[in-house]
Amino acid sequence: MAVSSIIALDLGAFTIKVAEFLVSRAGSLTLNKYAQVEYETDPGKETDNSETIIRVIRDLFAQNGIKNRRVAYAISGQSVFTKFIKLPPVENPDKIKQIIRYEAQQNVPFPIDQVVWDYQLVALPDSPDLEVVLLAVKSEIIEELHRVISHAGLKPVLADVSPMALYNAFRYNYDDLADCTLVVDIGGRTTNLIFVEGNKFFSRSLPIGGNTITSSIANELQVPFGEAETLKKTKGFVGLGGAYEEPSDPTVATLCKVIRQGMTKLHAEISRSVNFYRTQ
């Protein structure tokens, strides 16, 4: 019998998603409600979308009858500095935190007092060494997200990083996979890559997403971003290229070429990331 619920909120660049999970007395999770909605925004313009996001969140909760106001939310991987660091063997566990803080001060590319940072220890198989996943995000980003979520009538109780939240969800559902698995999460601004292999994991955020293709379409056809997004969704597909005949509609032919170029670039970045992972 379900006794409580967990509300997860994903604030994407163009889409807001909410999910309600029921927690049984035994600790198992059941997805009870899920909803998402897109909101219009032009990434090429420096506009404040906070009021739009607040309205969308309120509507999502009201329309789906979600009563719990305590939410856990995810921060885009693009906004977070992520660094994997290998530590030498440490005999005194109390010194680990001191060493990690020193590593954070050396590696985080912002003043340490201007960020919120945390870490996760990863045990390396058959090795006395430790690996640390260091995560840092500017305090102003966290504060702005808290402000928006609070103004929507919610109480933020946990902030997670999108790639790590995706990793946790994958491991929860597929905890018996022995081989290496690559999870590819393509978003509006960012594509998150998660490598999972036994007790090891590695993540990389690529600054390529659906928005990249839409912006290229807008530039190629000289149309507004919103119109380019509509064209992409209604008429776009990946052109085969080479000896294959192009679509007869010149607009569709242009769309296919632009989308193909964007996906080719993404494919190249994924291949580079795979090769980098293999060398580690």
Side-chain angles (χ1 to χ4, degrees):
M1 180 178 180
V3 295
S4 62
S5 66
I6 297 174
I7 309 300
L9 187 65
D10 182 8
L11 303 175
F14 302 96
T15 307
I16 296 177
K17 310 177 188 71
V18 63
E20 179 184 55
F21 295 89
L22 300 183
V23 186
S24 71
R25 294 187 184 277
S28 62
L29 296 178
T30 301
L31 178 61
N32 185 47
K33 294 177 181 178
Y34 173 83
Q36 70 175 48
V37 64
E38 295 182 0
Y39 63 96
E40 293 185 5
T41 182
D42 187 341
K45 298 179 180 179
E46 294 293 333
T47 56
D48 183 3
N49 296 318
S50 58
E51 292 302 319
T52 299
I53 294 173
I54 291 171
R55 175 181 54 78
V56 171
I57 292 174
R58 287 173 176 169
D59 291 345
L60 267 177
F61 274 70
Q63 293 168 6
N64 292 277
I66 300 176
K67 304 299 182 183
N68 189 350
R69 290 297 185 262
R70 293 168 56 86
V71 300
Y73 69 92
I75 304 169
S76 169
Q78 188 182 27
S79 303
V80 181
F81 170 79
T82 305
K83 180 83 171 183
F84 287 77
I85 303 172
K86 290 184 180 180
L87 302 180
V90 180
E91 295 183 0
N92 186 352
D94 295 335
K95 290 186 177 181
I96 292 180
K97 288 185 178 180
Q98 298 177 10
I99 295 174
I100 294 174
R101 181 170 185 83
Y102 172 79
E103 292 291 346
Q105 292 172 335
Q106 298 301 309
N107 287 278
V108 174
F110 314 109
I112 202 67
D113 59 348
Q114 296 179 14
V115 301
V116 176
W117 69 277
D118 206 343
Y119 67 92
Q120 176 65 51
L121 288 174
V122 181
L124 297 176
D126 305 321
S127 172
D129 297 340
L130 294 174
E131 187 168 22
V132 173
V133 185
L134 185 65
L135 305 164
V137 59
K138 286 187 175 181
S139 301
E140 60 189 39
I141 295 177
I142 293 286
E143 292 167 359
E144 175 61 15
L145 288 171
H146 265 63
R147 184 190 70 81
V148 169
I149 293 172
S150 299
H151 275 66
L154 308 177
K155 182 179 180 179
V157 296
L158 183 147
D160 204 349
V161 180
S162 290
M164 298 301 102
L166 178 59
Y167 166 77
N168 288 333
F170 179 85
R171 288 302 298 265
Y172 181 86
N173 288 281
Y174 305 98
D175 61 348
D176 57 347
L177 296 180
D179 297 330
C180 182
T181 301
L182 171 60
V183 182
V184 181
D185 175 27
I186 303 176
R189 291 196 180 104
T190 309
T191 294
N192 294 320
L193 306 180
I194 313 291
F195 294 84
V196 184
E197 184 176 6
N199 292 327
K200 297 185 296 181
F201 76 95
F202 175 76
S203 73
R204 172 170 282 181
S205 292
L206 307 176
I208 303 173
N211 167 42
T212 309
I213 294 174
T214 303
S215 296
S216 298
I217 293 172
N219 291 333
E220 184 70 23
L221 298 179
Q222 293 297 298
V223 297
F225 183 88
E227 184 177 342
E229 180 74 7
T230 300
L231 285 171
K232 182 184 74 174
K233 291 180 178 179
T234 57
K235 296 184 178 181
F237 60 88
V238 179
L240 297 176
Y244 291 92
E245 183 179 358
E246 292 186 355
S248 57
D249 186 328
T251 299
V252 175
T254 301
L255 283 173
C256 295
K257 286 182 179 179
V258 173
I259 294 174
R260 179 180 175 83
Q261 291 169 359
M263 295 307 295
T264 299
K265 182 179 180 182
L266 177 59
H267 176 268
E269 290 296 330
I270 292 175
S271 296
R272 273 194 283 269
S273 299
V274 170
N275 291 333
F276 177 80
Y277 177 79
R278 284 173 173 168
T279 63
Q280 305 304 304

